[in-house]
Amino acid sequence: MSQEYLDKLDSRQNGKTEEATKTEGIAKAKRRQHSAEYKLRILREVDECKGKGEVGALLRREGLYSSLVSKWREQREQGSLTGLSGHRRGPKVDANAVELARLQRENKRLQEKLERAELIIDVQKKVARLLGVPQEDNHPNEES
């Protein structure tokens, strides 16, 4: 073993590099997502490869696995364009739930508007009574 390696090992055991270790961040791998255009372009390039080793070179250049390209090829042959575009993860959005939420927001807004209008009408009635202005009863079914 080299002296440099032994020195590093010794300094780690003594806690000298403990501070450096604490500040290092651990990178979390991210799942790559490919657009439909990218997938179709790669499939065209794979189809154009004629010579020995050209496909392997293409896959190494793009950082892809042959199994992934095979899956893309199957999706293309099935004609499933949705398979070539990225899928949204998570729960599916229910159209009825979206409409229900919109209607509930609109209902709340209209109720608040109605409360303000009723308050204004009550104030107008009280002002009319104070001024002695006779009130016309437009709604005989409602009681004042």
Side-chain angles (χ1 to χ4, degrees):
M1 287 189 198
S2 70
Q3 184 62 34
E4 185 177 295
Y5 175 76
L6 292 174
D7 290 341
K8 281 185 180 180
L9 185 60
D10 187 42
S11 67
R12 285 185 184 161
Q13 290 173 350
N14 292 334
K16 291 180 182 176
T17 60
E18 189 174 327
E19 291 178 16
T21 307
K22 288 181 183 177
T23 60
E24 292 178 10
I26 298 174
K28 184 177 178 183
K30 288 187 178 181
R31 180 177 292 235
R32 295 187 333 174
Q33 295 180 352
H34 305 287
S35 67
E37 294 81 21
Y38 175 78
K39 294 175 185 180
L40 290 171
R41 181 179 63 84
I42 294 298
L43 288 174
R44 275 194 304 271
E45 289 183 30
V46 167
D47 292 340
E48 292 172 1
C49 292
K50 302 290 183 207
K52 185 176 180 180
E54 287 183 22
V55 174
L58 170 67
L59 295 178
R60 282 189 299 277
R61 183 188 78 211
E62 296 294 330
L64 300 172
Y65 293 101
S66 60
S67 60
L68 186 60
V69 174
S70 298
K71 186 192 298 185
W72 293 349
R73 188 178 290 127
E74 288 174 12
Q75 291 172 346
R76 181 183 63 181
E77 289 171 1
Q78 291 173 356
S80 59
L81 294 177
T82 57
L84 287 176
S85 61
H87 292 289
R88 290 192 63 196
R89 299 180 76 113
K92 305 296 181 238
V93 177
D94 184 16
N96 290 335
V98 172
E99 180 68 9
L100 176 64
R102 186 189 68 77
L103 290 172
Q104 286 174 338
R105 284 191 308 271
E106 183 180 0
N107 189 10
K108 183 179 179 184
R109 182 184 60 82
L110 291 173
Q111 284 177 345
E112 290 170 355
K113 191 173 181 179
L114 176 63
E115 287 175 9
R116 284 192 303 269
E118 287 176 344
L119 180 65
I120 290 171
I121 291 170
D122 287 342
V123 169
Q124 288 175 341
K125 286 180 182 178
K126 289 178 182 177
V127 168
R129 271 190 232 128
L130 287 174
L131 296 175
V133 177
Q135 296 180 11
E136 295 180 17
D137 193 12
N138 293 336
H139 302 286
N141 294 338
E142 294 183 11
E143 295 183 24
S144 298

